[in-house]
Amino acid sequence: AFKPDMIIVACGYDAAMVDPLARMQATAQTYEMMTQKIKQIAQTLCDGKLVLVHEGGYSEFYVPFCGHATIAALAGVENTAPDPMKEGFDIRQPTARFDAFLRQSIDDMAVELGL
């Protein structure tokens, strides 16, 4: 029900797979997808008024690919700087089998805790 006038995103790349601090599973394609989704949300809620402010990410060689993917998504154009790490990163992403294992583990813990 909330209709903001504008969406402002602190757009850091700390969650990138090779970030020396966070080392999460995000890739350039992850940032591109998230940007596309928030852009759609902004279009629906506030006539497309969206600001992304770069605020972090510490992989000197990988942040530019994440940033380029983000900017391409914002501009609605094809990403012309392909991710050189994509093939290696793709094989490290969680599979449906892993997701099912996690879901079952969480469900089992919930039962044990009486939740």
Side-chain angles (χ1 to χ4, degrees), residues 2-15:
F2 180 64
K3 299 277 282 176
D5 294 327
M6 175 187 298
I7 296 174
I8 302 173
V9 178
C11 183
Y13 301 106
D14 309 60

Side-chain angles (χ1 to χ4, degrees), residues 39-115:
K39 187 177 169 185
Q40 291 170 352
I41 292 167
Q43 193 63 43
T44 300
L45 295 179
C46 52
D47 297 319
K49 296 180 185 103
L50 173 64
V51 175
L52 274 66
V53 180
H54 183 169
E55 55 80 28
Y58 304 96
S59 173
E60 294 174 355
F61 79 90
Y62 196 61
V63 164
F65 293 99
C66 297
H68 189 85
T70 300
I71 292 167
L74 276 175
V77 299
E78 182 182 347
N79 183 351
T80 57
D83 182 346
M85 307 294 286
K86 182 178 179 355
E87 185 178 332
F89 288 168
D90 284 351
I91 63 173
R92 290 173 175 83
Q93 292 297 315
T95 63
R97 182 175 167 208
F98 179 74
D99 291 343
F101 167 77
L102 286 182
R103 171 58 35 211
Q104 186 61 54
S105 297
I106 291 167
D107 290 346
D108 291 347
M109 285 185 251
V111 169
E112 288 182 30
L113 294 170
L115 302 176

